Amino acid sequence: MGLGNDQSRRLLSRMAVNDKHGENSPYFDGWKAYDRDPFHPTNNLHGVIQMGLAENQLCFDLIQEWMKNHPEASICTPEGLNQFRDVAIFQDYHGLPKFRKGVANFMSKVRGGRVKFDEDRVVMSGGATGANEVIMFCLANPGDAFLIPTPYYPAYARDLCWRTGVQIIPVHTDSSNNFQITREALETAYNKAQQDNINVKGLLITNPSNPLGTTLDRDTMKSLVSFINEKNIHLVCDEIYAATVFNKPSFVSVSEIMQEVDFCNKDLIHIVYSLSKDMGFPGFRVGIVYSYNDSVVSCARKMSSFGLVSSQTQHMLAFMLLDDDFVNKFLIESSRRLAKRHSLFTEGLEKMGVTCLPSNAGLFCWMNLRSLLEEQTVEGEMKLWRVIVNEVKLNISPGSSFSCSKAGWFRVCFANMDDETVKVALRRIKAFVGKEAEKAKNVIKRRQRSINGLRIISSSSSSKRFDESWAISPHSTHIMSPHSPIPHSPLVKVT
Amino acid sequence: MGLLSRKATCNSHGQDSSYFLGWQEYEKNPYDEVLNPKGIIQMGLAENQLSFDLLESWLAKNPDVSAFKKDGNSIFRELALFQDYHGLPAFKKALVDFMAEIRGNKVTFDPNHIVLTAGSTSANETLMFCLADHGDAFLLPTPYYPGFDRDLKWRTGVEIVPIQCISSNNFQITESALQRAYQDAQTRNLTVKGVLLTNPSNPLGTTMTRNELNLLIDFISDKADMHLISDEIYSGTVFDSPAFVSVVEILKERNLLKDSDSDVWNRVHVVYSLSKDLGLPGFRVGAIYSQNDTVVSAATKMSSFGLVSSQTQYLLSAMLGDKNFAKNYISENKQRLKRRQKMLVSGLKKAGISCLKSNAGLFCWVDMRHLLQSNTFEAEMELWKKIVYDVRLNISPGSSCHCTEPGWFRLCFANMSEDTLDLAMKRLKAFVAESAGGNGRRKSIIGHSSGKKKSPTKWVFRLSSRDREQGDR
């Protein structure tokens, strides 16, 4: 680099040199381990299995089949080439009308047709990452705050706060009631903010929840709507996992509540959406801001200039999402496969005495490993985590990275691999849990024998921050972003 | 406490300017050769529509790309999952090679120093976020692209201080203008973080001279924290001499690249995009090139908010990776642009209108000062309205580009057929002839009163009732 940090600080903006992008979190050490030694069913059976990436890889065959049968959806095929120039030139930030119609149509079907969406309120963004940032820019000034129930998606720190200057105020939830959001918790967080002279602009929820994998019930949704309405603050609902609901209870979107109640000020309600999880297309960068507030729609649309969806992608998705037959079949099949995968994983875990929070959605489980902690603290959790990453060789995500208030919970993704890999992961967990059980028995025995107790062998410090060298793996000359997959995909080699 | 943010309720997105009003009128009454031959001809859109056939024929010859196949295997899944903000390596390589080719391979670019963004709209904003704090300023030579008011200022809180350029020396940047701008900023208590130039220039259509580039490099050289951003989005549209000289070439010539004693290389950044050279604004492909590792690192993380779609990266990596194709495209595209520009220039000449001598871009900077009732911006607006409503040509008034002298207009030539351009020139010629002979008795087709300046609030109301993407440069 050639320049010390000090010089960078004057030369560049504060934003460029602070670490509010959140990527210095120890959370990314897991990526380091995975990137250095990625699991492969034939080439590297003992590698680290990636269970930290919430991707939906279960239904590509359905989409590929559709694409094969609809060459006109691509502007590069002989069938679609005649559309090439019109699409290539199209940069209107309103988006291709058919694309917006397709998105509104899809969003409606995901909610069982119980809600109708207005295509004129569909605004594009650079993935949900872009959508969340845009909504903050529209609703809040620097220094304002949004309440967010814990545990929550780690990258909210970057998406909602980094460039916007907005701050997050966590609303604590507890395992004692399955991490449900209570009115008390909301009031506590809100009141504390008032006392601290912090201007709360709204509440942001992820429903279905990441990392919990649960959906909010109707009563809770109504209660949240009534809370924000009372305080006259916004409600942003990140419904990015809406179509990953695979079991009852069925999903209750805020849009349904809007149809049912009449006391709510619609200007306070906004939905963030994306196709990255429901359809498994994170690479296509399809984010959506859907607001019931006209000014927000207008402002977000202007801001979408900074992250429009490629017209090539809009064009393709317009065809796909307006194919009712395909969408209906896809949604049913996707749910079915997710349910099956979820069962395979959770039943396997149950057999070895490992429990997860009961869940009906998402691409992951919220696993309870509290009994394996040496201490019920963040340090204890991080210590266990390092063992799981480095010895059990599973990259899972520690609850502390989600700001969970109780130590010992881990998010484990299950939809980004095949069945065989799931079974390998389960075998490893079984072996580990068995070993830990043995260890625990021995510890108790020794404690009973010795006066001074154990000598605790501490591993490398749990507060270690990762340094830049993590990114340079012996396998690739390519430095991966924290959200990227497949280090050995054919795409990362330059031919 | 306002319900929304200040950013949502202010006007800094810049979309209430006259520039966009013309769009609105065009939208209401767009020219169509068959369906609406009396409609408004769009000359306010800097798009390159001249070379699509070249891209289409390449696609027709390369079916594997459309089938998401690489070496016979489907890579659809990998593409759908690929969201690494470092970008597709093959695409970045192809892109930097393309950029080098445009510069006659006099300079090369390192793919590890390229950051992909959703169009140069996003690239420019991202650079502001990385280089300047809220309230800092950048100096920009006028006239400049109207969209900069949004891209550089809106969400970043950065200020633009103009470097006033004038027609007497063909709008070139002078030392005194530069110093005056810098002083102006000091007086306003603004910390200047650098200069942003567009080279080739929009709206002038000229390439920057070596003198000007050297002047700017000297200017930032001795000021420790100053940057130079060169937006080279039109670099592939240089169709005539003098040849394009990129700021990177100057650095190389003056031995100011990395490993030299000076740190200037660390403060010069290039912005690029495929929207103009390849005519693909819909694909949202922008890039930041910088030798400054911290900037690359921060900008890369920020690109999360606007990544380039992986399927688009893949398509373009194949297309631009075909070196023969890329080379031929660049050359053929320039020929077509040159021919089209000549058509516009001679058409204007026939109407007694001259323009700034240009060698690049998708537009001409046209001198209509002699058609003004008075040497004022009010008169410029009057003339502009006549041209939009009566002559039915949507052109861009110089004031929307922050030009200091009234009477200049930007007219685009690459976004229409030859016949349409021809018609536009005929209409203009007729208008000039009538204006000279008719003593201004021409009736408006659309009943707008001339001579009375519309209040800003009325404009705002009309614009916001039918927003439209102005997207153009």
Side-chain angles (χ1 to χ4, degrees):
Chain A
M1 198 196 308
L3 282 189
N5 253 348
D6 257 353
Q7 280 173 283
S8 278
R9 259 181 252 286
R10 285 194 310 270
L11 181 62
L12 307 180
S13 68
R14 285 188 283 268
M15 213 179 272
V17 299
N18 69 27
D19 59 2
K20 294 208 165 114
H21 47 72
E23 290 184 28
N24 290 338
S25 143
Y27 169 57
F28 293 110
D29 287 358
W31 285 88
K32 172 183 181 178
Y34 170 71
D35 201 37
R36 275 204 295 226
D37 183 22
F39 172 83
H40 188 276
T42 45
N43 303 341
N44 192 17
L45 257 177
H46 299 288
V48 175
I49 298 177
Q50 176 62 281
M51 303 191 88
L53 193 46
E55 272 176 357
N56 185 353
Q57 295 192 25
L58 304 186
C59 290
F60 281 123
D61 58 318
L62 302 176
I63 296 176
Q64 271 178 267
E65 180 70 27
W66 185 90
M67 296 199 56
K68 212 175 72 175
N69 296 332
H70 293 85
E72 72 280 10
S74 163
I75 46 174
C76 307
T77 56
E79 294 84 346
L81 198 50
N82 61 0
Q83 294 285 296
F84 182 82
R85 62 181 69 189
D86 285 341
V87 171
I89 266 234
F90 189 86
Q91 57 170 333
D92 181 344
Y93 60 28
H94 289 83
L96 281 173
K98 284 214 162 89
F99 169 69
R100 277 187 289 120
K101 191 155 186 249
V103 168
N105 185 43
F106 186 75
M107 286 174 74
S108 173
K109 283 188 186 298
V110 168
R111 289 152 186 75
R114 296 181 294 274
V115 192
K116 196 161 181 309
F117 287 92
D118 178 358
E119 62 204 66
D120 290 332
R121 291 190 181 279
V122 172
V123 174
M124 296 181 286
S125 61
T129 300
N132 278 311
E133 190 192 48
V134 161
I135 202 85
M136 287 300 111
F137 272 128
C138 290
L139 304 181
N141 294 316
D144 288 343
F146 257 75
L147 304 172
I148 307 192
T150 65
Y152 61 77
Y153 169 54
Y156 276 152
R158 173 196 63 190
D159 300 352
L160 307 176
C161 308
W162 189 20
R163 306 192 306 181
T164 61
V166 169
Q167 47 179 321
I168 293 175
I169 292 179
V171 177
H172 291 292
T173 63
D174 199 74
S175 53
S176 54
N177 72 338
N178 287 338
F179 300 96
Q180 287 181 68
I181 308 167
T182 63
R183 185 69 181 231
E184 292 78 18
L186 285 170
E187 296 279 2
T188 304
Y190 182 82
N191 292 333
K192 172 117 195 343
Q194 303 287 78
Q195 279 164 29
D196 294 343
N197 244 331
I198 299 173
N199 193 18
V200 175
K201 282 317 288 278
L203 167 66
L204 186 144
I205 61 170
T206 311
N207 180 33
S209 162
N210 172 15
L212 302 177
T214 53
T215 51
L216 294 174
D217 62 48
R218 197 168 236 96
D219 285 341
T220 308
M221 281 303 302
K222 284 201 171 132
S223 158
L224 294 180
V225 167
S226 127
F227 172 77
I228 57 107
N229 213 48
E230 258 171 55
K231 310 284 188 219
N232 196 33
I233 60 177
H234 295 276
L235 178 61
V236 177
C237 297
D238 185 341
E239 298 190 345
I240 193 178
Y241 289 98
T244 67
V245 178
F246 51 79
N247 258 342
K248 286 204 189 325
S250 58
F251 178 52
V252 179
S253 160
V254 70
S255 54
E256 283 180 63
I257 305 295
M258 284 300 103
Q259 281 178 171
E260 286 170 30
V261 307
D262 55 9
F263 65 79
C264 184
N265 176 6
K266 287 201 149 79
D267 280 346
L268 299 174
I269 309 293
H270 323 275
I271 297 176
V272 160
Y273 188 55
S274 161
L275 296 181
S276 300
K277 310 296 177 183
D278 289 350
M279 298 203 81
F281 291 156
F284 296 168
R285 313 316 301 149
V286 183
I288 302 290
V289 174
Y290 187 94
S291 175
Y292 290 86
N293 180 321
D294 292 346
S295 305
V296 172
V297 170
S298 170
C299 180
R301 190 181 284 133
K302 292 182 177 75
M303 288 189 179
S304 69
S305 300
F306 299 109
L308 295 172
V309 176
S310 168
S311 54
Q312 174 190 18
T313 301
Q314 289 186 52
H315 179 83
M316 176 184 80
L317 291 175
F319 277 96
M320 195 184 288
L321 301 179
L322 286 173
D323 183 343
D324 275 348
D325 210 36
F326 168 74
V327 170
N328 292 335
K329 292 201 176 100
F330 176 87
L331 289 175
I332 292 172
E333 183 59 19
S334 172
S335 268
R336 194 190 68 81
R337 294 182 188 187
L338 277 170
K340 193 163 163 237
R341 179 54 67 82
H342 174 262
S343 284
L344 172 65
F345 191 59
T346 50
E347 282 162 19
L349 290 175
E350 265 177 51
K351 288 199 186 106
M352 54 185 99
V354 176
T355 55
C356 295
L357 186 73
S359 65
N360 62 325
L363 309 173
F364 32 71
C365 287
W366 190 233
M367 191 191 281
N368 184 352
L369 295 181
R370 294 174 58 212
S371 58
L372 298 180
L373 295 182
E374 281 185 17
E375 319 160 355
Q376 301 288 327
T377 58
V378 173
E379 288 72 28
E381 178 184 283
M382 292 305 277
K383 191 170 174 189
L384 174 62
W385 177 62
R386 282 182 208 287
V387 169
I388 295 176
V389 168
N390 297 317
E391 294 175 22
V392 189
K393 307 252 192 132
L394 300 176
N395 181 31
I396 65 179
S397 314
S400 48
S401 64
F402 294 85
S403 307
C404 185
S405 46
K406 269 254 175 57
W409 292 85
F410 292 80
R411 188 191 77 171
V412 187
C413 298
F414 55 64
N416 60 314
M417 60 192 72
D418 58 26
D419 281 347
E420 283 316 306
T421 310
V422 176
K423 291 178 184 155
V424 173
L426 284 170
R427 281 198 291 270
R428 291 185 188 179
I429 296 173
K430 185 170 183 200
F432 173 65
V433 166
K435 235 174 54 183
E436 289 299 296
E438 269 306 304
K439 251 172 59 184
K441 263 195 258 167
N442 292 336
V443 162
I444 291 169
K445 280 189 199 148
R446 266 184 289 170
R447 271 199 181 135
Q448 284 166 348
R449 281 198 297 259
S450 132
I451 299 168
N452 291 327
L454 288 175
R455 198 172 33 147
I456 296 167
I457 303 154
S458 67
S459 64
S460 53
S461 92
S462 55
S463 59
K464 180 175 90 173
R465 323 215 96 221
F466 81 97
D467 54 326
E468 291 294 293
S469 64
W470 80 265
I472 301 153
S473 91
H475 297 286
S476 67
T477 51
H478 168 77
I479 302 169
M480 309 288 285
S481 82
H483 304 283
S484 61
I486 327 175
H488 293 240
S489 123
L491 301 180
V492 305
K493 287 192 294 271
V494 178
T495 48
Chain B
M1 163 180 101
L3 187 63
L4 305 183
S5 67
R6 285 186 290 268
K7 288 183 178 68
T9 47
C10 73
N11 205 13
S12 309
H13 50 70
Q15 284 187 212
D16 299 330
S17 92
S18 55
Y19 182 65
F20 302 116
L21 181 60
W23 279 80
Q24 206 184 13
E25 291 309 312
Y26 166 75
E27 288 277 277
K28 284 196 236 166
N29 183 22
Y31 169 79
D32 182 282
E33 201 176 350
V34 172
L35 302 170
N36 190 18
K38 289 208 168 34
I40 299 180
I41 295 175
Q42 176 63 282
M43 301 191 83
L45 190 46
E47 270 177 4
N48 182 359
Q49 296 192 25
L50 304 188
S51 303
F52 280 126
D53 58 312
L54 302 178
L55 305 177
E56 286 158 352
S57 84
W58 185 90
L59 284 169
K61 294 194 206 115
N62 291 272
D64 258 15
V65 170
S66 55
F68 291 119
K69 279 211 179 86
K70 192 178 155 99
D71 305 326
N73 297 316
S74 170
I75 53 164
F76 176 78
R77 180 177 157 269
E78 284 80 3
L79 274 178
L81 292 173
F82 190 86
Q83 55 172 331
D84 181 358
Y85 57 29
H86 292 96
L88 214 57
F91 174 54
K92 289 201 298 181
K93 181 79 178 57
L95 183 61
V96 299
D97 287 349
F98 187 67
M99 288 170 71
E101 182 67 50
I102 284 175
R103 289 154 185 74
N105 291 308
K106 287 181 243 147
V107 285
T108 55
F109 298 87
D110 178 355
N112 292 321
H113 286 269
I114 268 251
V115 178
L116 300 176
T117 62
S120 58
T121 298
S122 178
N124 280 314
E125 189 195 45
T126 298
L127 271 178
M128 288 300 107
F129 274 125
C130 289
L131 306 180
D133 289 324
H134 195 281
D136 288 344
F138 259 80
L139 308 181
L140 263 67
T142 64
Y144 63 75
Y145 163 55
F148 278 150
D149 289 328
R150 173 197 61 192
D151 301 351
L152 307 179
K153 295 169 45 169
W154 188 18
R155 306 191 307 179
T156 61
V158 170
E159 284 298 327
I160 294 177
V161 175
I163 303 169
Q164 317 280 23
C165 299
I166 53 177
S167 56
S168 56
N169 74 336
N170 293 329
F171 298 95
Q172 288 188 45
I173 304 172
T174 63
E175 167 109 47
S176 56
L178 187 52
Q179 291 301 338
R180 228 174 302 125
Y182 189 55
Q183 292 313 316
D184 185 13
Q186 312 280 67
T187 312
R188 290 164 61 182
N189 247 328
L190 296 167
T191 305
V192 178
K193 286 315 297 274
V195 179
L196 186 147
L197 59 128
T198 309
N199 177 28
S201 163
N202 174 13
L204 303 177
T206 52
T207 48
M208 212 154 261
T209 60
R210 270 199 154 71
N211 273 351
E212 289 168 287
L213 290 168
N214 279 313
L215 171 67
L216 291 169
I217 289 178
D218 290 338
F219 179 73
I220 66 152
S221 261
D222 57 7
K223 296 169 185 65
D225 301 328
M226 284 252 241
H227 298 268
L228 182 59
I229 300 174
S230 181
D231 185 337
E232 302 188 350
I233 194 179
Y234 289 98
S235 48
T237 67
V238 181
F239 49 78
D240 217 336
S241 61
F244 174 58
V245 180
S246 162
V247 70
V248 181
E249 270 181 72
I250 303 284
L251 288 180
K252 189 175 178 187
E253 281 169 10
R254 290 176 57 167
N255 207 15
L256 294 172
L257 288 179
K258 222 165 186 169
D259 299 331
S260 69
D261 284 333
S262 146
D263 79 324
V264 170
W265 58 266
N266 207 33
R267 303 185 270 122
V268 175
H269 323 279
V270 174
V271 164
Y272 187 54
S273 161
L274 297 180
S275 299
K276 309 297 174 182
D277 294 348
L278 285 185
L280 305 172
F283 289 0
R284 314 315 302 146
V285 181
I288 296 170
Y289 186 83
S290 176
Q291 295 282 355
N292 184 318
D293 289 337
T294 315
V295 171
V296 170
S297 170
T300 300
K301 292 180 176 75
M302 288 189 186
S303 70
S304 300
F305 299 110
L307 296 173
V308 179
S309 173
S310 58
Q311 69 172 151
T312 302
Q313 291 190 51
Y314 175 66
L315 166 62
L316 294 171
S317 70
M319 197 183 271
L320 297 181
D322 181 343
K323 296 287 176 69
N324 275 337
F325 167 76
K327 200 167 172 175
N328 289 334
Y329 176 92
I330 291 171
S331 145
E332 178 62 26
N333 181 46
K334 283 186 196 181
Q335 295 302 329
R336 297 181 184 191
L337 286 170
K338 183 176 188 174
R339 204 177 129 199
R340 190 56 79 82
Q341 185 251 26
K342 279 192 164 24
M343 249 190 93
L344 175 63
V345 172
S346 72
L348 289 170
K349 205 164 165 199
K350 289 193 186 111
I353 299 173
S354 66
C355 47
L356 186 69
K357 186 163 183 334
S358 69
N359 62 327
L362 309 172
F363 33 73
C364 284
W365 189 235
V366 178
D367 185 355
M368 298 205 206
R369 291 177 290 175
H370 59 295
L371 299 174
L372 296 181
Q373 301 280 13
S374 60
N375 185 26
T376 61
F377 284 109
E378 283 76 17
E380 178 183 282
M381 274 296 107
E382 288 314 312
L383 176 59
W384 177 64
K385 279 183 214 161
K386 284 205 187 96
I387 294 178
V388 171
Y389 298 126
D390 299 351
V391 188
R392 285 156 293 124
L393 301 178
N394 180 33
I395 65 178
S396 313
S399 51
S400 68
C401 302
H402 302 275
C403 185
T404 46
E405 299 171 33
W408 292 87
F409 293 79
R410 188 190 78 170
L411 270 68
C412 298
F413 55 69
N415 62 310
M416 64 193 75
S417 69
E418 278 191 16
D419 289 344
T420 309
L421 183 56
D422 199 46
L423 174 60
M425 292 300 96
K426 288 199 169 76
R427 286 187 188 175
L428 200 50
K429 184 165 180 224
F431 167 72
V432 172
E434 278 197 42
S435 299
N439 291 328
R441 274 197 323 260
R442 279 180 62 83
K443 275 206 175 60
S444 290
I445 291 172
I446 299 161
H448 290 277
S449 58
S450 59
K452 234 203 320 187
K453 188 169 157 195
K454 276 202 170 64
S455 72
T457 44
K458 281 201 188 137
W459 277 15
V460 169
F461 175 73
R462 290 184 66 215
L463 277 166
S464 53
S465 66
R466 268 203 66 184
D467 282 354
R468 196 221 185 262
E469 155 69 344
Q470 75 301 333
D472 136 70
R473 292 171 138 252

